[in-house]
Amino acid sequence: MSRIKPPKVNRKNKGITARIETVNYDEKPPVFSLERLQNSKYCLQKLDQEGKSAFADAIFRRKDITWREINRSGRHKLGSEKMPIASIKAAKPSFITPDMSDYLVFRYHGKRPMVGYRKNDVFYVLWFDHDFTLYDHS
């Protein structure tokens, strides 16, 4: 029967030494999450089949590019743009903290936007603006 070897003990500190590595999330591709999607007229369920397919394609097209590359891309291409929270007509979710001033907007179907926020390498989709009424587009 094999045993798991115990961690090496640093005799000087009499404890386990660990190396903490920091992660640069800008060098990672985005992970898209629907975990925080708001149940409203801007929900995924309100999209037609073409819109749902376009969302899947939008995720797929961004799966191999980093956040740094996204930040350099045009807002109507694979990039994003910031949108002031106050510009959004839907109710602000309770988990959005007062220190947040902007959402991020990605295009998923032509110029149709999905709005959400980024935490580390995850983009949490909150709304799909399928009818261009979530915020003023002028």
Side-chain angles (χ1 to χ4, degrees), residues 22-62:
T22 58
V23 177
N24 183 350
Y25 292 107
D26 283 343
E27 295 302 324
K28 297 199 169 283
V31 174
F32 285 82
S33 173
L34 297 176
E35 177 185 358
R36 300 279 180 140
L37 187 62
Q38 300 300 288
N39 190 9
S40 67
K41 75 180 232 172
Y42 304 107
C43 186
L44 181 70
Q45 293 176 332
K46 303 298 181 184
L47 299 181
D48 60 16
Q49 195 58 44
E50 185 179 351
K52 290 174 183 175
S53 176
F55 170 62
D57 185 57
I59 292 173
F60 183 78
R61 286 183 291 127
R62 292 174 174 96

Side-chain angles (χ1 to χ4, degrees), residues 9-135:
V9 175
N10 181 333
R11 302 261 184 235
K12 185 175 182 182
N13 295 332
K14 295 190 178 163
I16 299 171
T17 58
R19 193 169 103 190
I20 299 173
E21 295 183 27
T22 58
V23 177
N24 183 350
Y25 292 107
D26 283 343
E27 295 302 324
K28 297 199 169 283
V31 174
F32 285 82
S33 173
L34 297 176
E35 177 185 358
R36 300 279 180 140
L37 187 62
Q38 300 300 288
N39 190 9
S40 67
K41 75 180 232 172
Y42 304 107
C43 186
L44 181 70
Q45 293 176 332
K46 303 298 181 184
L47 299 181
D48 60 16
Q49 195 58 44
E50 185 179 351
K52 290 174 183 175
S53 176
F55 170 62
D57 185 57
I59 292 173
F60 183 78
R61 286 183 291 127
R62 292 174 174 96
K63 76 178 184 65
D64 293 323
I65 61 174
T66 66
W67 277 102
R68 184 175 315 286
E69 293 167 314
I70 286 171
N71 291 335
R72 292 181 186 153
S73 296
R75 67 184 179 133
H76 288 131
K77 296 181 181 176
L78 295 178
S80 65
E81 69 177 308
K82 288 184 178 181
M83 176 64 54
I85 287 177
S87 299
I88 301 297
K89 295 175 184 173
K92 182 170 76 170
S94 61
F95 52 82
I96 299 297
T97 57
D99 62 318
M100 263 181 78
S101 58
D102 299 306
Y103 292 121
L104 278 182
V105 177
F106 280 103
R107 299 306 188 261
Y108 74 95
H109 189 232
K111 291 187 177 181
R112 290 185 182 103
M114 59 178 141
V115 179
Y117 68 98
R118 176 185 172 186
K119 184 172 182 181
N120 298 330
D121 58 341
V122 180
F123 178 74
Y124 293 93
V125 180
L126 297 174
W127 303 285
F128 292 95
D129 192 7
H130 57 90
D131 61 357
F132 299 101
T133 60
L134 181 60
Y135 61 90

